[in-house]
Amino acid sequence: MAEDACAIGDDIVALALLRALRDLRLWEMSPPGERQWLLLPPSRDRIEAIEHVSQEARGIAEALQDLSVMRSDPECVRPAQLSAACRCISRWADRQSLAHTGLLFAEAAARVDAGAAVRAREAGRAARRVGAPDRSESWLDRAIRIAGRDGNRNRIELIRALLSYGSLLREQRKHDEARSVLSRAARLAASTRRHRVAAETQHDLLGLAIEAGTYAESERHVLEALRHYPIHHPAVPALVHDWSFLLVRLGLYRQAQPLVEAVLPQCQHPGLKLLVWGMTGLVAAAAGDRQRYDLAVSHVRTLASRTQEFAAAAHGNLAQGARFWREWDLARSLATHAIDISKDRRELEVEYDVREFLAGIEAREPPSPRGGLPASNRIDGVAGQMLSLLDARKRPPRRPVQIDKEEADDSFDSSPE
């Protein structure tokens, strides 16, 4: 949590969180019957600290109060109660762009409720967000094993764990392994008759096809995802971005720009907003709109000071944009920064892509399309569906959106910042 200590901004809140993590570790490692000797009743200082948190960080005051039961009644507190409180704090930390704090509490939730596959998956996703792929893989492997043991009773959680693991493998450029894992998830999803989960599997297969497949594969997966995603599913903006990314790779900047501009106002997650602003800068540069490009650069730098998630990809897109202006020093600076971030976060796919076009920057060449677009394609049809879907999302749903309480899809959640 040291990485987030300054960002928390309140020493008492930070101390309360550190104490909670220490107590959780003691509770987890102590055998039943001995916890009462290690976890003594809360002192007056601890009680006053929680009262302070209730004023300064109301979103976690109740959760910290629930965790304090470890000291007032350590033998009777239930693992699920502690896990739920940890999850509440982890999600709060994510909203505050405190990714490392979010990871520590997600991992604590998974340890105290060791039989819950969903907690292990959430810990894996949190580790992935901070650029810790080894920790992520360990937790996701555990989630898959737990959910697999539960059989049909926990099939949806098994699918989500496979999706998370497949996405991690894709980021590490392990394309064959990723395809195997994601294909398994797709087969399981087809047997569930759950359209939302089926859409999520097709979305992840789209990402893999963009990086290591063909245009025809990508088009097939995006159409399946569009067919199954509910209008107000939180991952729809990410789907639009991913398809726009493919269009940019093909050099179809004019076709990508209306999609990018339409999806930008619907991006709530800080990481997705950062990613789409980077794409906005690239398509603006391709269109010769310097004012829009400079605005995108400003937004990316501001957002990257809050989160590093997708910062490498965003800076890489801006570097590509600078090539259109033939500002080679700016392009080189942005690309080098993107590589530094991707190396720190071990994002091998992004690092590979940026290094590839850095050679073009050094040669002072403008971006060139990769090709591979068949004469028979449905690009205009996909764009029309996406724009209609984004327009429909502006209207409130006729009934509450049915999102599972435990769902935390791999793309992005829709909670406001």
Side-chain angles (χ1 to χ4, degrees):
M1 206 176 87
E3 295 89 342
D4 293 338
C6 294
I8 290 174
D10 188 300
D11 291 344
I12 297 178
V13 173
L15 179 60
L17 293 171
L18 284 169
R19 284 171 167 170
L21 286 169
R22 187 182 64 179
D23 288 353
L24 285 160
R25 197 65 170 165
L26 282 172
W27 189 92
E28 169 208 343
M29 297 178 68
S30 304
E34 296 184 14
R35 290 169 177 153
Q36 59 182 323
W37 308 113
L38 294 172
L39 292 160
L40 302 177
S43 64
R44 182 62 193 170
D45 178 56
R46 284 174 174 264
I47 294 171
E48 289 177 352
I50 292 177
E51 290 174 353
H52 174 83
V53 172
S54 67
Q55 298 296 321
E56 300 299 325
R58 296 180 182 179
I60 57 171
E62 185 175 346
L64 284 173
Q65 188 68 50
D66 289 343
L67 292 179
S68 71
V69 177
M70 283 186 294
R71 286 188 167 272
S72 59
D73 199 354
E75 300 297 346
C76 294
V77 65
R78 294 175 294 108
Q81 177 185 351
L82 298 178
S83 176
C86 289
R87 184 173 188 262
C88 175
I89 296 173
S90 178
R91 291 174 70 85
W92 168 85
D94 286 343
R95 290 194 296 272
Q96 305 301 316
S97 298
L98 304 171
H100 289 87
T101 300
L103 169 59
L104 291 174
F105 278 94
E107 290 182 322
R111 284 195 300 266
V112 298
D113 200 359
V118 63
R119 298 299 179 238
R121 174 173 62 85
E122 289 173 348
R125 292 180 61 246
R128 180 179 159 206
R129 280 197 295 272
V130 302
D134 293 340
R135 284 165 78 175
S136 179
E137 183 172 0
S138 177
W139 283 114
L140 293 173
D141 178 69
R142 178 171 169 177
I144 291 169
R145 285 188 284 106
I146 295 171
R149 286 199 302 264
D150 290 343
N152 291 337
R153 187 165 55 87
N154 211 4
R155 180 165 291 189
I156 298 300
E157 189 50 49
L158 174 58
I159 294 170
R160 291 208 170 103
L162 288 168
L163 289 177
S164 296
Y165 187 42
S167 296
L168 177 67
L169 291 170
R170 177 167 58 86
E171 289 179 355
Q172 300 303 302
R173 294 187 57 77
K174 299 176 182 178
H175 294 140
D176 290 341
E177 294 176 61
R179 184 174 287 107
S180 175
V181 170
L182 293 174
S183 296
R184 180 186 173 193
R187 290 193 299 272
L188 287 170
S191 70
T192 64
R193 301 181 185 274
R194 297 281 290 274
H195 294 315
R196 183 173 67 251
V197 178
E200 291 167 6
T201 62
Q202 293 300 320
H203 189 167
D204 274 31
L205 285 166
L206 166 66
L208 181 60
I210 290 172
E211 291 164 3
T214 65
Y215 171 82
E217 289 178 73
S218 300
E219 185 179 273
R220 183 174 70 252
H221 292 311
V222 78
L223 288 170
E224 283 296 303
L226 285 169
R227 186 162 71 93
H228 290 303
Y229 263 144
I231 291 174
H232 291 279
H233 192 286
V236 166
L239 180 70
V240 176
H241 166 272
D242 293 347
W243 182 252
S244 302
F245 175 64
L246 173 62
L247 297 181
V248 164
R249 277 196 162 191
L250 295 170
L252 303 175
Y253 302 102
R254 180 177 57 81
Q255 291 88 336
Q257 188 167 24
L259 293 174
V260 174
E261 293 292 352
V263 79
L264 183 58
Q266 297 194 25
C267 299
Q268 298 297 323
H269 187 285
L272 178 58
K273 189 178 293 186
L274 173 59
L275 191 60
V276 175
W277 268 115
M279 184 70 71
T280 300
L282 173 52
V283 296
D289 187 342
R290 185 59 192 246
Q291 184 176 5
R292 189 67 172 164
Y293 175 81
D294 289 343
L295 180 63
V297 171
S298 175
H299 277 286
V300 165
R301 286 174 172 165
T302 299
L303 289 165
S305 68
R306 297 174 52 195
T307 178
Q308 291 288 282
E309 188 179 8
F310 304 110
H315 282 86
N317 282 331
L318 293 177
Q320 285 281 65
R323 294 173 71 183
F324 282 103
W325 307 119
R326 298 185 179 275
E327 295 189 9
W328 307 114
D329 289 342
L330 175 61
R332 186 181 300 106
S333 173
L334 289 165
T336 303
H337 189 45
I339 290 171
D340 289 342
I341 297 171
S342 61
K343 287 173 66 177
D344 287 344
R345 293 177 55 81
R346 297 174 64 185
E347 295 173 346
L348 301 185
E349 187 70 42
V350 177
E351 183 183 354
Y352 178 87
D353 285 345
V354 178
R355 286 191 183 281
E356 189 175 41
F357 67 70
L358 181 58
I361 293 173
E362 298 296 351
R364 302 200 166 196
E365 298 171 349
S368 57
R370 297 196 176 193
L373 179 67
S376 175
N377 63 75
R378 300 178 61 181
I379 283 179
D380 291 340
V382 172
Q385 288 189 52
M386 286 186 167
L387 291 173
S388 296
L389 183 57
L390 292 172
D391 188 59
R393 286 168 59 85
K394 297 176 184 177
R395 299 186 291 273
R398 295 180 180 177
R399 57 187 179 202
V401 182
Q402 297 298 311
I403 298 293
D404 294 350
K405 289 182 179 179
E406 299 292 355
E407 178 187 359
D409 66 88
D410 253 299
S411 301
F412 302 95
D413 68 41
S414 58
S415 56
E417 297 175 54

